[in-house]
Amino acid sequence: TQLLEQSPQFLSIQEGENLTVYCNSSSVFSSLQWYRQEPGEGPVLLVTVVTGGEVKKLKRLTFQFGDARKDSSLHITAAQPGDTGLYLCAGPEINSGGSNYKLTFGKGTLLTVNP
Amino acid sequence: NAGVTQTPKFQVLKTGQSMTLQCAQDMNHNSMYWYRQDPGMGLRLIYYSASEGTTDKGEVPNGYNVSRLNKREFSLRLESAAPSQTSVYFCASRGAGRGYTFGSGTRLTVV
């Protein structure tokens, strides 16, 4: 079973602070995805990283895929209250390619940004 | 485009009652999924459908059945609801890319 462990589980910060959350596994993933889930809504895809060492930026959010493709991080610069939500990482299950594709999800980091 | 639409948004059932959760997508996606989300457990896959006419079990299928009615619709049925099935249920779909599009969820309470 491929497990994705996310840390920290909870994070509460003040507006304007920087933060980093982590997604780690003992397994190699062909790709990893990050989702954000706001209260009462379903997760929304933010980014997919595919290549080891890859860095992608989405405004104030920076995503990095580890060189060995076993881990990923999400860094938020100058956090805003609108960044509040549950951040989930996800990767394809082993042997789940093509039409059999299934994602396994980490349990998430619940971020609260206080004004 | 509506994306993925789930109905109902909220439901309270008594133990032993049955119900069907509906899911429809308008993106012409082939694959559809049902997940449940519980505190401390994350998202767990119940069933999925790789294409119209096929369904397969996920991690936690016991107590559930599914129907892929057509390419757009994928329903989840609880035949005899139990308190352990109290959860938030999410339907998702996937097209040619790797990412999922999720619905806004059904919050189910079984008393």
Side-chain angles (χ1 to χ4, degrees), chain A residues 9 30-31 33 35 37 39-45 48 50 86 88 93 98-107, chain B residues 31 33 35 37 40-43 45 48-51 56-58 90 94 97-105 107:
Chain A
Q9 188 175 357
S30 58
S31 63
Q33 300 171 19
Y35 292 77
Q37 184 178 15
E41 297 296 328
V44 175
L45 178 66
T48 301
V50 179
L86 179 67
L88 297 161
E93 290 186 6
S99 61
N100 196 38
Y101 182 95
K102 300 187 295 292
L103 286 176
T104 186
F105 285 82
K107 295 181 180 180
Chain B
S31 302
Y33 308 82
Y35 283 85
Q37 187 174 41
M41 301 296 291
L43 283 162
L45 182 64
Y48 70 103
S49 170
S51 60
D56 284 287
K57 295 178 181 179
F90 287 101
R94 186 181 73 90
R98 298 179 179 88
Y100 286 2
T101 301
F102 283 87
S104 58
R107 284 142 190 84

